[in-house]
Each structure stands twice: as structure tokens, then as C-alpha cells.
Amino acid sequence: MNSHTLLRTVTGDTQPPASQAVRPPLVEIEHLAKHYHLGLSFSVKSVDGVSFTIGQGEVLGLVGESGCGKSTIARLLTRQTSPTSGQVKIAGQEIADVSGEELKRLRRTVQLVFQDPFGALDPRMRIGTSMEAPLAQHRIGTREERREKVMRMLTEVGLDESFYERYPRQCSGGQLQRVVIGRALLLEPSFLICDEPTSALDASMRTQILNLLTDLKRRHGLTMLMISHDLRVVRHICDRIAVMYLGRIVEVADRDALFKTPRHPYTRALIAASMLDRTGLYAPEIQLRGDLPSPLNPPLGCRFHTRCAHAQAKCSQAEPEFEAASESHQVRCHFWRELQPDRSAEAGSP
Ligand code: SF4
């Protein structure tokens, strides 16, 4: 029985589980795994059986500590690496099957914005030339039309036309991230993946870039995957949030439900650590202890048991299944019912 079937059994209805978007899906990930083999007997299970969908026009946040497998999912979605097993479909098409012109179209449809805008741009090229390059590569427009598109996009991302002639070294990190986002949007993608897009920026720049992404998402009807270690970032922009731990998703919920009633001890710890819990409800009970275990040798049973303040004998013996805490909320913990004090009414929104 797969986890989706199980959920339908648990909930007794046909509502999609929270790992499935309510809107028609643009992105469908099924049992995705990426294992890196290191010699005969070692393998790193970077992503290990992940399933979720992202609806058209939806922003899904993917959060977790560094090394939990988030960026591997971005690489799998853009075919920079191949899965060990599982499926990725974009607009109904299995991406492992595409080649030639179809692959070129896929590469245009799915765009990626990285953490480091300095690394994403050639320091020897003017901003205008860097932005025009993907348009030329996809044979879009004449030279003059490409220049006009770039000028319009510079304005749309909040920069003036003088940036066309500048070099990256003449721009701040925030300005360069606007350039990188604009360059991605010039190809009119339907799916934008942002991998820690603000982690190299200071707090005020971070807010500006998140506001820009929110605005662009609305204007362009973008579907987005926002990858971050920072819950404040995903809370700002996402409709739904998936929490990842050591290669697996441990909780998925609508944004407000996740912050109001986090069910998994790891999610609560992340909320407490990010100081988003203004009530102090979760802080004393949950401190993240120790470091993320090595994905070379993940703990048996619940992977979080070595750091969980609530671990019991069962936790190191059996891996918990995904269960539906509500129609739009799934959690992977044996004891989520017992642990949940259901004091959400007291807590209110964080
Ligand atoms: Fe903690 Fe056990 Fe739940 Fe894992 S299954 S999160 S160890 S209580």
C-alpha cells in the first residue's frame, strides 16, 4: 500500500493528502530517490522516497537543515542529475523520457534561481549581455527585440536601464539577485525553483527580494518551489510547506496550519529555533539537540529519534508512516496525537 492509498484509508474519504496540491498539478513527484554510491557498501541516501505535487500557480516551500536533500530535489527537477528511482512529471510529462527539442523546451519551462547571484553571472560580461544570452540560446527574437525585452525586465525587477551596461562587480548582492530572477523570467517559465534565493542577503534585502518574488508570482501566474533552511522565508511567500529531514518529508501542511498547529517535533523545533513562535509554546519543550546525523548512516526507525525529546522505544524500531492529521495536513510521527497538546487556540497565529 503506498502512502497516498494509506491516507485515503486513514481519512476514509477521497480528499487528496496534503502532499498533493488541491489545484491541478503542474509538478508531480512520486517515490523519488537519489542515492549516491560510495564504494561497495556505502551509499548516501540524499533523497529517499519523496512524493508531493505542486499545483498550477501554487508556491510550495521545502524546508529543512542543510544536507537534508532539498537541493538534490532541485537538481532532480531540472535533470542536472538522474534519480535512483521514482518519477518526476512536469505538465504531465515524465521528464526522464524527454530528449532533443522536448528537452530544450523543458529547460525553458523550468528555471532555477540559486543562492549566490555572484556565482550565477559571468564577471566579465555586462549585465545586459548575460541577460540576453539565454534568449539568444533559445533563438528568441532579433537582437533588437532581445535588448528591448531585457530593458523591460530590468524595470520589472526594480532596476533602471543603466544596469544593462554595468558589470556584476558594480552591483550589490540584492541588485544581482534581481538580475538573476529577471534573467530566469525572460524565458517565460511556468515553473520557477528558488534554491535559498535570499540566504546570501542581509535582512532588508531579503524582504525586498521576497516581496519581488511574491509580486512576480502574482503577475506571471508562476508555479514555484521555494527551497530554504529558513522558515521565515517560506512563511513569507508559500501556500503550502513541506518539512524535510534526512532525505524524507516528515510534515506537509498549508502554511497557516503548519505555523498554528505544527504536528511533528522537528517542525516545532524549527519554529522555536527561528523565533517565529511568539507565544513561547514550543520553545521550552523542543530544542534541536546535536547535529543532523550523516545521511551515510541514517538512524533506523524514525530518522529523527536521535534528536527527538519525545522518542520512545518504538521510534528506533519502526519508521512512522505518513498519516493525515487533517484533510490538508500530513505528518510522519508515531506519537503525533499524544504529543499534540492542541493548544492552538491559545497559541493563535505565530
Ligand atoms: Fe520523535 Fe518518535 Fe515522533 Fe520520531 S516518531 S518524531 S522520534 S516521537
Side-chain angles (χ1 to χ4, degrees):
M1 191 188 291
N2 69 30
S3 58
H4 294 173
T5 316
L6 175 77
L7 273 164
R8 290 204 175 91
T9 309
V10 169
T11 55
D13 59 30
T14 53
Q15 288 290 335
S19 58
Q20 288 182 6
V22 174
R23 312 171 206 201
L26 179 75
V27 180
E28 298 164 87
I29 291 184
E30 281 260 358
H31 308 302
L32 193 64
K34 178 68 187 177
H35 301 171
Y36 294 98
H37 297 287
L38 310 173
L40 281 180
S41 48
F42 292 106
S43 75
V44 176
K45 295 180 176 173
S46 179
V47 173
D48 201 19
V50 164
S51 301
F52 61 82
T53 65
I54 309 177
Q56 306 265 2
E58 184 181 44
V59 183
L60 179 76
L62 190 57
V63 285
E65 292 161 280
S66 296
C68 72
K70 308 181 302 288
S71 294
T72 305
I73 288 186
R75 285 199 290 279
L76 289 163
L77 281 167
T78 47
R79 269 199 40 175
Q80 292 173 46
T81 187
S82 308
T84 308
S85 60
Q87 264 196 340
V88 177
K89 284 188 190 169
I90 295 180
Q93 189 165 36
E94 164 67 60
I95 67 170
D97 295 341
V98 301
S99 58
E101 278 307 302
E102 277 186 336
L103 180 57
K104 216 172 152 190
R105 230 184 347 264
L106 176 79
R107 295 234 151 100
R108 185 175 160 183
T109 303
V110 182
Q111 290 293 308
L112 188 55
V113 172
F114 291 105
Q115 169 181 354
D116 174 20
F118 291 94
L121 296 164
D122 187 332
R124 296 158 304 177
M125 278 170 124
R126 292 181 196 275
I127 296 294
T129 315
S130 280
M131 288 181 80
E132 278 173 23
L135 291 171
Q137 202 183 343
H138 287 271
R139 301 206 171 103
I140 297 171
T142 63
R143 218 173 158 169
E144 195 43 47
E145 285 165 344
R146 291 199 284 267
R147 185 185 163 89
E148 280 170 22
K149 267 179 180 281
V150 168
M151 290 300 192
R152 279 201 300 276
M153 185 53 76
L154 281 171
T155 311
E156 191 170 354
V157 296
L159 300 171
D160 65 57
E161 295 185 354
S162 72
F163 278 82
Y164 188 93
E165 297 294 342
R166 293 196 198 182
Y167 286 96
R169 64 175 180 277
Q170 297 170 309
C171 307
S172 68
Q175 288 165 341
L176 286 184
Q177 199 57 301
R178 287 172 189 271
V179 167
V180 171
I181 291 166
R183 184 176 63 172
L185 293 186
L186 277 167
L187 290 172
E188 299 176 12
S190 48
F191 181 37
L192 186 67
I193 302 170
C194 296
D195 190 357
E196 303 276 9
T198 58
S199 55
L201 307 176
D202 65 31
S204 78
M205 284 290 176
R206 182 173 64 212
T207 306
Q208 286 178 30
I209 293 295
L210 289 175
N211 287 341
L212 173 69
L213 284 168
T214 308
D215 196 34
L216 293 171
K217 181 244 164 192
R218 215 175 289 128
R219 262 188 274 154
H220 293 262
L222 285 169
T223 303
M224 288 171 58
L225 177 65
M226 175 66 67
I227 294 172
S228 181
H229 68 283
D230 187 343
L231 274 172
R232 288 168 299 181
V233 168
V234 292
R235 188 171 77 151
H236 193 105
I237 191 168
C238 297
D239 301 304
R240 264 186 322 140
I241 296 169
V243 180
M244 202 166 170
Y245 188 79
L246 269 185
R248 288 221 191 253
I249 290 184
V250 296
E251 186 161 13
V252 188
D254 291 340
R255 177 189 56 188
D256 292 345
L258 191 95
F259 284 102
K260 193 170 177 185
T261 338
R263 302 285 186 180
H264 196 284
Y266 181 57
T267 310
R268 293 200 215 165
L270 288 180
I271 291 175
S274 64
M275 297 194 296
L276 283 171
D277 173 28
R278 291 204 297 260
T279 65
L281 186 59
Y282 303 111
E285 160 195 6
I286 307 215
Q287 301 288 329
L288 260 186
R289 304 181 300 185
D291 296 326
L292 193 70
S294 166
L296 251 179
N297 189 19
L300 295 175
C302 172
R303 293 179 183 199
F304 189 54
H305 84 259
T306 54
R307 302 170 82 191
C308 181
H310 304 284
Q312 301 181 35
K314 183 181 180 183
C315 303
S316 57
Q317 292 156 7
E319 178 150 21
E321 293 278 357
F322 244 153
E323 290 187 50
S326 77
E327 282 173 8
S328 59
H329 200 148
Q330 275 174 269
V331 59
R332 194 189 282 277
C333 169
H334 292 305
F335 299 108
W336 66 267
R337 286 180 189 82
E338 289 87 331
L339 297 177
Q340 181 53 44
D342 205 17
R343 290 183 289 172
S344 52
E346 291 170 41
S349 275

